[in-house]
Amino acid sequence: MQAIEQPWFARSPEAVAPDLIGCLLVRQGADGTLWRGQIVETEAYGADDPACHAYRKQTPRNAVMFGPAGFSYVYFIYGMYHCFNIVTEQEGRGSAVLIRALALLDPPADPALSLKAGDRLAAGPGKLCRYLDIDRRLNGLPLAPGQPLWLAHPPPEDGQPFSLVQTTRIGLSQGAERPWRWYMKDSPAVSKR
DNA sequence: TGAAGGATTTGT
DNA sequence: CAAATCCTTCAC
């Protein structure tokens, strides 16, 4: 697996978000267990974007968004879910890409779970974090091999061609008109059409 | 110090 | 459509 290096993330979130579709997210648990998923849905949150947590000013919660690219930004929402983001751009600009959905590569250990939930165990930012055991302990970590989370380019032989759909983001009260959501067309793991 | 609201998900 | 559930931010 070819790991994605830090400079690749040091671009605008609107550039990184669509490029991430088809890439692999790797989660290494504390016991060494590996989970892998293909990213099928992302959203960009820019520094000049009213929907972005870093839009107003730096606070303890959003601090890592102002740090260097290629780090994790994990926050807690609605009292019960976590969301996983990748920090983008140069240090000092608060921006990130939200990973919204994965198509899991390794089938769940529990076959009953697989049959029941199908391929939608990681269809949505909250479900994705619940399945991969991502919470605020994983906030502010570098995304590199050997860490709990990192990313990889799709294997060349496995790179199935796909169509990318660009549309508006989900669940926002501000900045809802910006077309900064991307997903893999026809993927059953996308959170919403 | 308190109140409002949130980048979600699920079930009614 | 509303509940679950709690952290963060902003106003006073």
Side-chain angles (χ1 to χ4, degrees):
Chain A
M1 265 188 304
Q2 178 58 51
I4 299 178
E5 310 274 342
Q6 198 261 354
W8 193 91
F9 297 110
R11 299 178 285 143
S12 74
E14 314 92 275
V16 172
D19 282 0
L20 276 171
I21 304 295
C23 291
L24 270 39
L25 176 65
V26 186
R27 170 78 168 102
Q28 181 164 24
D31 61 355
T33 310
L34 283 182
W35 293 279
R36 296 178 307 150
Q38 184 181 44
I39 296 172
V40 298
E41 183 182 354
T42 59
E43 284 179 359
Y45 288 86
D48 303 309
D49 168 10
C52 179
H53 287 173
Y55 179 60
R56 291 187 178 275
K57 61 174 185 179
Q58 186 170 333
T59 66
R61 178 176 72 155
N62 65 24
V64 301
M65 293 183 80
F66 290 88
F71 280 69
S72 61
Y73 169 50
V74 179
Y75 63 87
F76 187 56
I77 190 72
Y78 296 128
M80 54 181 84
Y81 297 104
H82 297 268
C83 291
F84 168 65
N85 302 252
I86 299 168
V87 175
T88 53
E89 289 184 310
Q90 77 263 26
E91 207 167 341
R93 274 184 67 80
S95 65
V97 172
L98 170 68
I99 307 302
R100 284 192 58 91
L102 302 176
L104 298 172
L105 271 72
D106 311 298
D110 181 353
L113 193 63
S114 175
L115 286 173
K116 183 162 186 279
D119 33 7
R120 297 190 57 77
L121 280 171
K127 296 170 72 175
L128 178 164
C129 287
R130 189 180 57 191
Y131 184 73
L132 295 182
D133 192 27
I134 296 172
D135 60 28
R136 279 172 298 179
R137 294 170 308 177
L138 303 187
N139 184 42
L141 299 180
L143 300 168
Q147 294 288 333
L149 288 164
W150 73 92
L151 292 108
H153 293 290
E157 72 279 4
D158 191 53
Q160 313 276 347
F162 58 86
S163 297
L164 206 50
V165 179
Q166 177 175 11
T167 180
T168 50
R169 297 173 291 181
I170 289 179
L172 303 183
S173 58
Q174 299 175 86
E177 72 291 345
R178 302 194 186 203
W180 286 356
R181 172 173 176 245
W182 289 267
Y183 64 85
M184 189 182 292
K185 190 179 182 186
D186 299 327
S187 169
V190 169
S191 67
K192 290 182 179 176
R193 317 252 137 166

